[in-house]
């Protein structure tokens, strides 16, 4: 088996500029040497900032200078530590490694609730507001825009309620509300800007991959057309003249014998040999299989997905089957990139031993309980059906997707 592995950067493509990106996606989005690590460090920075909130409270608690009642202090510590645990799970543990009851939105709800309580009961002034800014940033990753705005508004009202209750000067209270709400808005806008840029880069990468695939197919089609044109010219022109030459030499040898008859006979034999060679070359040109693996390698060369391509050595298929396979692989790759949230795609092509060629593609994406084929997968089905073959799609939540196609050889 000839195997080609297409390396990938640690990024995936998908999403839309106007939609939020789930945490599992935003941890793997972006550019740079390692986008997943970059995003994880961003979440770690938020976690460190949140952890710093507890330092002054701890120092006051150890010094015995906390003014709040003891039960409030212990309530605050419970809410604060619960907040840190929820944010750590949300930002550092991928969603597919957590149980269903610890999904992104439930964790965010816990973070919002405990962050609000920690701010409301904070024994030390000011620092707990950092928790609300971190919460707003986390909401921008997990929720759509309306949900994020709702979180910011609720936290703004909380800040206003606490500030106007504890601040004697209404003007100072109003300024504090505006300032800390602005901090939240700034964090959210930065996240949204990053998501728009990432989505734009993703769509550009998608378009580039599709353009490269189309270029590869066009080049293969042009080479095939040129090969067939040369074959026709050899057959129609050179073959015709060689046939005429042989006939002339046959006539010459049947005429009155001369001292040159032996030379004419040898010339006739050479012409016949040459005609046979030309016919063999024409047959080879017409029957030459396309460079399937090269075309597939071009189609599967993507910067954001690891693709393991394996094509059986000596695979002998016609142009129509080769073109269908390349198109189907292109659709499989595009579907995986856009919907599967996968890191690896394995593609195998070879004979099944019963007069058919098999295409087997598997990814390690999220899978789905109910598959609803779009235009891409429907295109795969139509291309395989047109050649008298069959295709099967197998998927399940958390188990990726498998596409198995069988095309009879002609």
């Amino acid at each position: 088996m000839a195997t080609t592995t297409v390396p990938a950067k640690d990024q995936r493509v998908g999403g839309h500029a106007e939609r939020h990106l789930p945490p599992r996606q935003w941890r793997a989005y972006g550019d740079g040497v390692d986008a997943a690590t970059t995003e994880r460090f961003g979440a770690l920075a938020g976690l460190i900032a949140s952890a710093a909130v507890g330092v002054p409270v701890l120092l006051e608690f150890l010094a015995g200078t906390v003014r709040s009642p003891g039960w409030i202090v212990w309530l605050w510590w419970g809410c604060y530590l619960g907040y840190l645990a929820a944010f750590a799970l949300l930002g550092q543990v991928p969603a597919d490694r957590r149980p269903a009851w610890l999904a992104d939105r439930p964790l965010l709800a816990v973070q919002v609730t405990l962050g609000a309580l920690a701010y409301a009961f904070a024994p030390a002034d000011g620092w707990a507001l950092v928790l609300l800014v971190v919460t707003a940033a986390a909401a921008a990753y997990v929720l759509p825009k309306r949900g994020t705005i709702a979180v910011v508004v609720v936290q703004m009202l909380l800040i206003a309620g606490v500030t106007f209750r504890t601040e004697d000067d209404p003007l100072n209270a109003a300024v504090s509300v505006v300032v800390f709400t602005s901090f939240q808005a700034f964090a959210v806008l930065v996240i949204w800007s990053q998501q728009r840029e990432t989505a734009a880069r993703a769509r550009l990468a998608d378009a580039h991959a599709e353009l490269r695939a189309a270029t590869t197919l066009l080049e293969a089609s042009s080479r095939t057309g040129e090969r067939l044109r040369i074959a026709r010219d050899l057959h129609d022109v050179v073959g015709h003249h060689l046939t005429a030459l042989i006939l002339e030499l046959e006539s010459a040898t049947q005429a009155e014998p001369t001292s040159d008859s032996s030379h004419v006979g040898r010339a006739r034999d050479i012409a016949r040999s040459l005609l046979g060679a030309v016919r063999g070359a024409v047959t080879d040109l017409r029957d030459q299989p396309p460079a399937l693996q090269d075309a597939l390698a071009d189609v599967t060369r993507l910067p954001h997905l690891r693709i393991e391509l394996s094509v059986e050595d000596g695979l002998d298929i016609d142009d129509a089957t080769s073109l269908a396979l390349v198109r189907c692989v292109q659709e499989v790759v595009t579907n995986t990139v856009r919907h599967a949230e996968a890191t690896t795609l394995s593609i195998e092509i070879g004979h099944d031993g019963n007069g058919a060629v098999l295409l087997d593609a598997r990814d390690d994406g999220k899978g789905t309980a109910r598959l609803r084929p779009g235009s891409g997968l429907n295109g795969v089905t139509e291309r395989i059906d047109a050649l008298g073959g069959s295709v099967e799609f197998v998927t399940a939540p958390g188990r990726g997707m498998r596409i198995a196609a069988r095309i009879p050889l002609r």
Side-chain angles (χ1 to χ4, degrees):
M1 299 288 286
T3 302
T4 301
T5 299
V6 183
K9 298 178 181 178
D10 291 329
Q11 60 179 14
R12 291 196 299 274
V13 177
H16 190 277
E18 299 303 321
R19 298 186 304 184
H20 75 288
L21 304 178
R24 183 180 175 185
Q25 283 186 286
W26 60 256
R27 273 192 288 270
Y29 261 61
D31 58 354
V33 176
D34 190 342
T37 302
T38 301
E39 295 293 354
R40 200 155 34 241
F41 272 115
L44 181 61
L47 185 61
I48 293 173
S50 301
V53 173
V55 174
V57 180
L58 179 61
L59 294 177
E60 288 188 11
F61 180 77
L62 295 177
T65 58
V66 178
R67 296 186 300 272
S68 303
W71 68 272
I72 291 183
V73 175
W74 289 112
L75 175 62
W76 184 86
W77 276 111
C79 294
Y80 171 67
L81 295 177
Y83 177 94
L84 291 182
F87 183 58
L89 287 172
L90 182 62
Q92 300 300 318
V93 181
D96 57 350
R97 297 183 183 177
R98 293 187 247 120
W101 58 277
L102 287 179
D104 299 327
R105 293 196 178 192
L107 283 177
L108 179 64
V110 171
Q111 187 179 348
V112 170
T113 302
L114 296 182
L117 292 174
Y119 169 68
F121 292 104
D125 297 333
W127 290 99
L129 283 165
V130 173
L131 302 180
L132 303 186
V133 176
V134 173
T135 299
Y141 280 120
V142 176
L143 300 177
K145 288 186 176 180
R146 290 184 179 180
T148 303
I149 293 173
V151 170
V152 172
V153 170
V154 168
Q155 293 189 150
M156 180 192 68
L157 296 176
L158 174 65
I159 294 172
V162 173
T163 304
F164 279 101
R165 178 174 59 84
T166 57
E167 180 66 48
D168 295 331
D169 187 348
L171 180 59
N172 287 340
V175 171
S176 298
V177 171
V178 172
V179 169
F180 287 110
T181 302
S182 299
F183 287 163
Q184 295 183 74
F186 176 74
V188 168
L189 291 174
V190 168
I191 301 300
W192 284 349
S193 177
Q194 174 197 358
Q195 290 179 342
R196 284 194 296 270
E197 180 182 358
T198 299
R201 291 174 181 266
R203 290 196 301 276
L204 180 61
D206 263 349
H208 178 67
E210 292 180 1
L211 178 60
R212 185 169 55 229
T215 301
T216 298
L217 293 172
L218 181 60
E219 290 175 352
S221 178
S222 298
R223 287 194 296 268
T224 299
E226 183 66 12
R227 190 176 69 247
L228 294 178
R229 184 190 67 79
I230 294 174
R232 285 194 301 269
D233 289 347
L234 283 174
H235 180 271
D236 297 342
V237 179
V238 179
H240 171 74
H241 288 304
L242 284 174
T243 301
L245 176 60
I246 291 172
L247 293 175
E248 291 292 339
L249 291 172
E250 287 282 359
S251 298
T253 56
Q254 293 174 5
E256 181 177 352
T258 64
S259 59
D260 295 330
S261 297
S262 60
H263 296 290
V264 174
R266 283 196 298 271
R268 178 196 60 196
D269 293 338
I270 293 172
R272 284 178 176 173
S273 177
L274 182 57
L275 179 60
V278 168
R279 286 174 175 171
V282 169
T283 301
D284 290 341
L285 284 172
R286 285 177 172 170
D287 295 341
Q288 178 183 350
L292 177 62
Q293 184 164 343
D294 293 340
L296 291 174
D298 286 338
V299 170
T300 55
R301 188 175 294 114
L302 298 178
H304 45 263
L305 178 67
R306 176 181 174 83
I307 301 178
E308 298 173 350
L309 175 63
S310 177
V311 181
E312 181 179 332
D313 288 331
L315 188 63
D316 187 10
I317 56 177
D318 56 38
D319 285 352
T321 302
S322 177
L323 178 60
L325 285 174
V326 174
R327 285 292 193 186
C328 288
V329 168
Q330 179 187 358
E331 294 291 357
V332 168
V333 171
T334 301
N335 184 77
T336 302
V337 164
R338 290 180 176 175
H339 307 296
E341 297 181 22
T343 58
T344 302
L345 173 63
S346 174
I347 301 174
E348 296 183 4
I349 298 177
H351 288 114
D352 70 345
N354 295 312
V357 61
L358 298 180
L359 165 63
D360 192 299
R362 305 167 186 258
D363 66 59
D364 62 351
K366 62 182 181 180
T368 181
R370 185 177 181 182
L371 180 64
R372 296 177 180 175
S375 58
L377 295 184
N378 285 332
V380 171
T381 302
E382 292 168 359
R383 292 181 186 280
I384 300 299
D385 287 345
L387 296 175
S390 61
V391 62
E392 181 182 16
F393 306 104
V394 180
T395 182
R399 300 183 62 182
M401 183 172 181
R402 179 191 178 195
I403 300 176
R406 182 180 185 275
I407 304 174
L409 295 176
R410 296 182 290 175

